[in-house]
Amino acid sequence: MYGGFTTERHERLRARVRAFAEAEARPRIPEMEATRTVHHELSRLIARQGWIGVTIDRAYGGMGAGHLAKTITIEELARVSGAMGAMVQASQLGVAKIAHFGSEQQKRTWLPAIARGDCLPTIAVTEPESGGHVLGMRATARREGDTYVLNGRKVFVGNSHVGDLHGVVVRTGPGSRGLSAFLLESDRPGFSLAPQQPAMGLHGFSFGELVMEDVRVPAANLLGEEGDGVAVAYSSSVLYGRANLTAVSLGIHRALVEETTAFAAARSLYGRPLAELDSVKQKLGRMQSSLMTAEAVAYHAVDLLDRGLPCDAELMNAKLVGVESSLDSARLAMEIHAACGLFTDRPIERFVRDAHHIYAPAGTSDVQRLRLAEVALGVAKGAQWSVRFGGGTELAAA
């Protein structure tokens, strides 16, 4: 059990995901690192385990297991492969938009397919010129009879090159009520992908660019109502994005601690194992303390979310603590490994590269601090998405 938050069923899920990650993901890491491109086969294999549907209600074929179970799943995959942890977390963002804003017909059409692993969803908000400023986006949707015509570009889209169903937020009018969200199938005419660009880390995962040139989608593909685009974007980021990325950081963080302690125990200096040196013990102690703190903060936040309690601030803090502590531990890990950590025969340099990829999505640490300052000052704005869309689950309550 972890801090009293998890049940035996959670731990059985952890063991199942960990065994899968060791058997299926770890052997493929050299290939992913060498090619530095999306790994379609492993992404689909993970999806077929049913883990993309961990938060999908059982009525739609999902596990109905909740956010803590989702956190454990992503964490255990990321402990072995940050890329595959990122793949699942990005798919979960795609789940959120349908689960919370989809019509009954949209839910019955797409959620069972996602839960089976037949469909990988994404969410596409960020644009080249506006970045994370949602209200600055320029991609558009124009109504023509029973269809909408979509034009524009989206960048840094998680699962861009493996996704089947993209949730795009585009402009249908002026101002904050002029943004709307649509389901966009990847095989529609006029839709294309820019070539995948090699990145520093998360090799095997894709976060690329979508191009829409007069793409026609039926009006039935509108998520919610016209004007719901801001709510789709913000709620997905707060409830899923921050929690999911925290889970990826936690998995990478755990890998950093495990690999570094094993290295320190096995490597000798001046006739003694590194782990016996007080200076090294100090660093290992700081890493272990940071990991335990990040874990407690993350599990506490998603436990509140599963229980339907207000936790928007806790989710922000979990992302902030998770990312910053993993980066601190990455630096300490490199200090302990010294020159040995610079070579690719050891995984530590991969963990360090992957850890940096979690900093920007769903808000940088500076953004989280600004929002938390607003909480402290009592001037925080907007809905408590955790109250609106949180709630208990069978597994969380078990």
Side-chain angles (χ1 to χ4, degrees):
M1 306 297 172
Y2 282 69
F5 293 113
T6 66
T7 67
E8 289 184 7
R9 294 176 69 184
H10 284 117
E11 295 309 321
R12 287 198 297 271
L13 174 64
R14 183 193 302 279
R16 189 162 70 249
V17 178
R18 179 171 291 197
F20 174 93
E22 292 289 351
E24 300 293 345
R26 195 176 294 281
R28 291 174 167 89
I29 288 172
E31 177 191 351
M32 291 190 286
E33 288 298 304
T35 61
R36 302 179 70 183
T37 189
V38 61
H39 201 292
H40 292 271
E41 177 191 3
L42 184 55
S43 298
R44 296 293 174 179
L45 181 59
I46 291 172
R48 288 197 293 273
Q49 307 310 304
W51 295 326
I52 308 300
V54 65
T55 60
I56 294 176
D57 192 280
R58 292 188 178 187
Y60 301 106
M63 293 172 60
H67 291 272
L68 180 51
K70 177 194 66 179
T71 296
I72 291 167
T73 301
I74 296 171
E75 173 192 351
E76 288 299 329
L77 288 168
R79 172 184 164 271
V80 172
S81 168
M84 291 302 105
M87 188 282 291
V88 172
Q89 82 82 18
S91 295
Q92 285 289 337
L93 286 171
V95 168
K97 66 184 186 293
I98 302 172
H100 299 317
F101 291 92
S103 66
E104 186 60 27
Q105 181 59 46
Q106 288 169 341
K107 290 178 181 178
R108 293 195 178 279
T109 299
W110 293 110
L111 293 182
I114 294 169
R116 290 193 306 270
D118 294 337
C119 173
L120 282 174
T122 79
I123 191 164
V125 177
T126 306
E127 296 188 0
E129 295 182 2
S130 58
H133 178 46
V134 173
L135 296 182
M137 67 176 58
R138 298 183 181 182
T140 61
R142 182 181 72 255
R143 181 76 183 249
E144 289 188 1
D146 292 332
T147 66
Y148 284 86
V149 182
L150 278 56
N151 281 281
R153 297 158 60 204
K154 296 290 180 180
V155 295
F156 308 137
V157 178
N159 284 342
S160 54
H161 285 64
V162 73
D164 305 294
L165 183 69
H166 304 286
V168 295
V169 180
V170 294
R171 189 161 287 287
T172 50
S176 61
R177 291 294 300 168
L179 296 177
S180 304
F182 295 87
L183 295 174
L184 171 58
E185 300 92 338
S186 61
D187 58 356
R188 288 197 173 271
F191 174 82
S192 63
L193 297 166
Q196 187 182 355
Q197 298 296 315
M200 178 175 72
L202 295 183
H203 300 152
F205 174 62
S206 62
F207 49 106
E209 181 176 350
L210 313 183
V211 180
M212 299 170 288
E213 298 177 316
D214 291 331
V215 181
R216 290 185 176 272
V217 299
N221 281 29
L222 176 68
L223 276 167
E225 306 291 335
E226 278 200 17
D228 283 346
V230 170
V232 171
Y234 284 171
S235 64
S236 296
S237 176
V238 171
L239 297 187
Y240 284 73
R242 287 169 179 161
N244 294 1
L245 291 159
T246 299
V248 178
S249 281
L250 189 57
I252 295 171
H253 199 163
R254 194 175 301 284
L256 282 162
V257 173
E258 291 176 353
E259 179 66 23
T260 305
T261 53
F263 172 81
R267 188 168 181 82
S268 294
L269 186 65
Y270 309 128
R272 299 170 59 193
L274 281 179
E276 293 184 6
L277 301 177
D278 285 347
S279 59
V280 173
K281 284 183 178 179
Q282 286 288 334
K283 296 180 192 300
L284 291 174
R286 286 171 58 188
M287 293 174 67
Q288 178 66 18
S289 176
S290 292
L291 174 61
M292 293 172 68
T293 301
E295 173 190 275
V297 171
Y299 285 12
H300 171 61
V302 292
D303 177 65
L304 291 175
L305 183 57
D306 276 335
R307 291 191 280 145
L309 298 174
C311 60
D312 287 33
E314 284 79 1
L315 291 166
M316 296 175 205
N317 191 49
K319 208 266 181 170
L320 172 64
V321 171
V323 167
E324 292 296 321
S325 64
S326 69
L327 292 174
D328 287 343
S329 286
R331 178 177 57 80
L332 292 169
M334 289 298 288
E335 289 177 2
I336 293 172
H337 278 78
C340 294
L342 301 175
F343 294 92
T344 58
D345 61 330
R346 299 183 184 276
I348 202 71
E349 60 89 30
R350 171 168 61 89
F351 300 150
V352 172
R353 288 186 283 107
D354 288 353
H356 281 81
H357 274 260
I358 315 304
Y359 178 80
T364 65
S365 294
D366 284 346
V367 169
Q368 311 304 336
R369 292 188 186 99
L370 286 172
R371 296 294 172 261
L372 288 168
E374 292 169 355
V375 171
L377 293 167
V379 295
K381 302 175 183 178
Q384 276 274 346
W385 298 110
S386 50
V387 175
R388 181 173 174 184
F389 292 130
T393 61
E394 292 182 31
L395 184 55

